[in-house]
Amino acid sequence: MNALPPTRSYTGVERAAVLMMLVGEDEAAAILQKLDPEEVRQLGSAMFAVADVSEQEMEDVLDDFVGKARERTGVTFDPRPKIEAVMNRALGPEKAESVLARITPPEANCELELLDWLDASEIAQMIEKEHPQIAAVMIANLDPTVGGQVLELLPDAVQPDILHRIARLGPINPDAVETLKAVLANRRGGATRSGGNGMTLGGTREAAKILQGARKATEQRVMPKLFKIDKDVAKAIEEAMFVFDNLLDMDDKNLGTLIRNVDGDILSRALKGVDENARGRFLGCMSARAADGIRDEMEARGPMKLAEVLEAQKAMIAIARGLAKDGTIVMGASDDDYV
């Protein structure tokens, strides 16, 4: 009797893809509607990958699914569509809307799911004629990389203002949220529900991430203008864009140049706050004698307050910025990194 060939080992996503290939189109579509964009992409790709699934492997996947289904103690689902349908049927659209407005729990996030499905150029086109505050809220809702791409696609003249607004965002007025929903509703030709809650977005760290998502040329053009608009905000964004660990992104030549320009006292204090691997990278760019001297000084210091370590690290970053501005060193591993 011939032995059966070994069955393939499937990942969780691939098992889900096999099940998706087995159900009908309507059922598969209903499942996809419940997933976020990244999950749809992963599952769709896996569906192509499992197109050659064997009968035995299919049975294994189904057995696994049935086993896991039996282990569940309950079924969870979104009750909103069911409740809305029942209310509309029982009370009529107008009364149902009034009741639902009072009983529907507030949503955790602004209904901006459509943004996840649009590319940067589509989003930029949608908001280029909107008020800068609306554009800022929209971009702050995006993944920082996509947000950076959208920012650089907008007119140069409005980029500093929008970035400044992103950095200063906090609690968003519900009216602004509704305006944003209306922009998206117009994009898809649908209606938007009123009465939404406010939300909190932005901040200097978020603005820094968005600017890092843009090209270097955009950063170099926007930051000087932002300093003229609000020096404190610009400085906070600049500090958030580059932290001490980013110094390790430099190659040995540039890192060695930086170290030679840093006082030994600052260096020994700064390195007290990093792990052994990072510390070894810094010391590896020094002569053996100088590295031993820093090690001895660190040991002699004993325990240090975190505030002292952070102060020394900020001093090193400031020195690195100065050296980068006059062209002595290049900060970053590529042309798209901070320089």
Side-chain angles (χ1 to χ4, degrees), residues 30 72 109 119 212 235:
R72 295 181 63 90
N109 298 309
D119 62 31
Q212 285 175 321
K235 185 176 180 181

Side-chain angles (χ1 to χ4, degrees), residues 86-156:
V86 171
M87 289 285 186
N88 275 289
R89 189 166 182 175
L91 306 176
E94 292 184 2
K95 291 182 180 179
E97 183 177 359
S98 176
V99 173
L100 289 168
R102 294 194 299 270
I103 67 172
T104 302
E107 296 181 2
N109 298 309
C110 181
E111 295 176 344
L112 302 177
E113 293 88 353
L114 181 61
L115 288 174
D116 294 332
W117 301 91
L118 302 177
D119 62 31
S121 61
E122 290 179 296
I123 298 172
Q125 190 174 25
M126 286 170 55
I127 63 176
E128 64 178 347
K129 294 182 180 179
E130 297 292 333
H131 189 280
Q133 186 71 5
I134 298 300
V137 175
M138 182 84 82
I139 293 174
N141 266 280
L142 302 171
D143 176 86
T145 299
V146 178
Q149 295 170 0
V150 173
L151 180 68
E152 67 182 22
L153 288 171
L154 295 174
D156 293 354

Side-chain angles (χ1 to χ4, degrees), residues 251-319:
D251 59 31
D252 289 350
K253 180 180 178 181
N254 284 293
L255 187 56
T257 301
L258 168 62
I259 290 172
R260 288 192 293 273
N261 283 272
V262 176
D263 182 79
D265 177 67
I266 294 176
L267 183 60
S268 63
R269 285 190 287 126
L271 295 186
K272 285 284 274 188
V274 301
D275 59 38
E276 286 297 330
N277 290 334
R279 189 178 299 164
R281 174 75 197 290
F282 281 100
L283 297 178
C285 294
M286 306 171 63
S287 67
R289 180 178 178 182
D292 288 339
I294 293 297
R295 289 191 184 93
D296 291 342
E297 189 171 345
M298 290 172 59
E299 186 176 350
R301 285 184 180 278
M304 288 183 59
K305 292 182 179 180
L306 179 60
E308 295 181 64
V309 174
L310 295 178
E311 182 183 3
Q313 292 182 350
K314 287 183 179 180
M316 277 192 68
I317 293 174
I319 294 170

Side-chain angles (χ1 to χ4, degrees), residues 228-247:
K228 293 180 181 180
I229 295 174
D230 192 324
K231 184 178 179 180
D232 292 337
V233 168
K235 185 176 180 181
I237 291 175
E238 193 174 55
E239 290 179 352
M241 288 182 68
F242 202 91
V243 296
F244 188 75
D245 286 348
N246 295 136
L247 294 177

Side-chain angles (χ1 to χ4, degrees), residues 14-69:
E14 289 172 336
R15 289 175 180 273
V18 171
L19 294 173
M20 288 287 287
M21 299 290 280
L22 293 176
V23 301
E25 291 183 5
D26 292 341
E27 291 80 4
I31 293 171
L32 288 179
Q33 289 174 353
K34 302 294 184 181
L35 306 180
D36 63 37
E38 181 58 29
E39 289 172 334
V40 171
R41 284 188 283 269
Q42 290 182 17
L43 187 55
S45 177
M47 289 170 71
F48 279 104
V50 300
D52 60 346
V53 59
S54 70
E55 183 176 349
Q56 179 61 48
E57 290 167 338
M58 191 180 302
E59 290 180 1
D60 291 344
V61 171
L62 286 172
D63 287 344
D64 180 67
F65 172 74
V66 172
K68 284 184 169 58

